[in-house]
Amino acid sequence: MIKRKGSAVWSGGLKDGKGTVSTQSGVLNQTQYGFNTRFEDGAGTNPEELIGAAHAGCFTMALSAQLGEAGMTAQKLETTATVSLDKVEGGFAINTIHLDLVATIPGADEQAFQEAARKAKEGCPVSKLFNANITLDAKLQQA
């Protein structure tokens, strides 16, 4: 079993408070977040963009594995995960995450590529974590 840690510290109220997030690896070390970074355009990070980065990274790595099983090797895979924080009854919820993928794979078969992308979307451990509608646009371009 692999365990990784992230942590957060918060001081103050919701709108006037401030917080920091850190990761075990130190890549994030007391990185600022707050109401203004989540709901406005303030400097710092927010949970949704961190979830997006985690999902994009997980999906892209899973796709690399699926492509390998299909006999393909990507020259480049670029994924953007758009996490939608929606106001719902009782507060907010993440109901949708959209993955945009642009892949450069010399000599790839479109159908095999799309199947690998579908399997990666469904099989990535971060995708399995979410109770959200996860959609995917996968574009294949030749090198």
Side-chain angles (χ1 to χ4, degrees), residues 1 4 15 29 34-35 42 46 49 62 65 70 75 92 97 100 105 120 142:
M1 177 184 289
R4 301 283 188 249
K15 290 190 177 183
N29 185 15
F35 186 89
N46 59 70
E49 76 177 8
Q75 180 179 339
F92 288 88
I97 300 171
D100 271 307
I105 308 169
Q142 300 297 326

Side-chain angles (χ1 to χ4, degrees), residues 5-11 18-24 28-33 45 47 50:
K5 294 181 181 179
S7 61
V9 175
W10 187 267
S11 298
K18 294 181 180 175
T20 61
V21 291
S22 300
T23 57
Q24 178 180 343
L28 295 178
N29 185 15
Q30 298 183 351
T31 302
Q32 174 185 327
Y33 82 110
T45 191
L50 296 173

Side-chain angles (χ1 to χ4, degrees), residues 71-88:
M72 293 180 273
T73 302
Q75 180 179 339
K76 187 175 187 180
L77 301 172
E78 293 180 81
T79 305
T80 300
T82 303
V83 177
S84 297
L85 181 64
D86 302 313
K87 187 159 180 54
V88 296

